[in-house]
């Protein structure tokens, strides 16, 4: 079955440079309305000094989700406080899509924390086809984490 895939499908599965476009969704899984919801969430994250990138692809090819994210982040030369959420929507052997969430070195939220938040909010929404809501929920989780991490510093500034 793998041979029958078109060259375009193979291209969609390769790690890529996403630095010029924060949302890579070649099959329009977000939909016309959802793209605006996700763009709004990504813009809000900038207020927390966070750059969020989204890739929605058929699958991760021969790579694990984590490897795909690492290679994509390397190809993109993303700065500190950059986060990549990748969603592969075609079912794996378990019958589920796959999710990877990573952050660049030096980010306020590490990859393990980002991955944990992605797994908390995304599986249910993605299983219902609610890609935009799932992605927006993930970005909100990142902002909440950033707020709680910086709230101690903010409180000490208030007392000065």
């Amino acid at each position: 079955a793998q041979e029958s895939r078109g060259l375009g499908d193979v291209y969609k599965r390769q790690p890529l440079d996403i630095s010029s476009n924060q949302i890579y969704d070649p099959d329009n899984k977000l939909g016309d309305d959802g793209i605006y919801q996700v763009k709004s969430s990504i813009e809000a994250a900038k207020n927390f000094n966070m750059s969020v990138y989204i890739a929605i692809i058929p699958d991760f090819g021969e790579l694990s989700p984590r490897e795909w994210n690492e290679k994509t982040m390397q190809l993109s030369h993303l700065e500190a406080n950059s986060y990549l959420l990748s969603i592969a929507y075609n079912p794996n052997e378990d019958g589920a899509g796959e999710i990877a969430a990573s952050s660049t070195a030096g980010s306020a939220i590490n990859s393990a924390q980002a991955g944990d938040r992605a797994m908390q909010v995304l599986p249910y929404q993605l299983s219902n086809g609610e890609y935009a809501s799932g992605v927006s929920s993930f970005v909100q989780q990142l902002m909440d984490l950033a707020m709680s991490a910086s709230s101690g510093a903010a409180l000490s500034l208030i007392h000065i």
Side-chain angles (χ1 to χ4, degrees):
Q2 195 138 1
E3 291 81 50
S4 66
R5 292 184 182 203
L7 189 58
D9 285 339
V10 171
Y11 176 74
K12 290 178 198 173
R13 298 165 49 211
Q14 300 299 318
L16 63 145
D17 178 353
I18 57 169
S19 59
S20 63
N21 190 1
Q22 288 186 271
I23 301 170
Y24 180 74
D25 181 17
D27 295 323
N28 197 26
K29 292 292 183 180
L30 294 173
D32 294 338
D33 293 335
I35 192 82
Y36 294 110
Q37 180 182 352
V38 171
K39 282 182 178 180
S40 176
S41 296
I42 288 172
E43 285 301 311
K46 289 179 181 178
N47 293 327
F48 293 87
N49 197 28
M50 299 164 57
S51 296
V52 180
Y53 298 83
I54 309 298
I56 303 175
I57 55 176
D59 58 64
F60 294 110
E62 301 298 316
L63 301 173
S64 74
R66 188 169 148 248
E67 289 171 328
W68 194 94
N69 260 25
E70 286 174 3
K71 289 186 183 295
T72 294
M73 292 177 89
Q74 288 169 356
L75 287 169
S76 304
H77 304 288
L78 300 182
E79 312 251 331
N81 280 321
S82 293
Y83 302 86
L84 171 60
L85 172 66
S86 301
I87 300 168
Y89 53 83
N90 281 341
N92 59 20
E93 297 81 31
D94 302 330
E98 296 181 288
I99 301 165
S102 306
S103 61
T104 51
S107 295
I109 300 164
N110 65 38
S111 289
Q113 291 170 309
D116 181 56
R117 292 303 171 109
M119 294 310 294
Q120 285 179 26
V121 299
L122 283 163
Y124 176 75
Q125 290 175 312
L126 295 181
S127 70
N128 290 324
E130 298 171 7
Y131 287 86
S133 296
V135 170
S136 294
S137 295
F138 170 73
V139 175
Q140 183 62 51
Q141 290 287 318
L142 288 181
M143 291 188 291
D144 290 348
L145 265 178
M147 256 193 303
S148 63
S150 65
S151 63
L155 289 175
S156 64
L157 290 176
I158 292 170
H159 295 296
I160 293 176

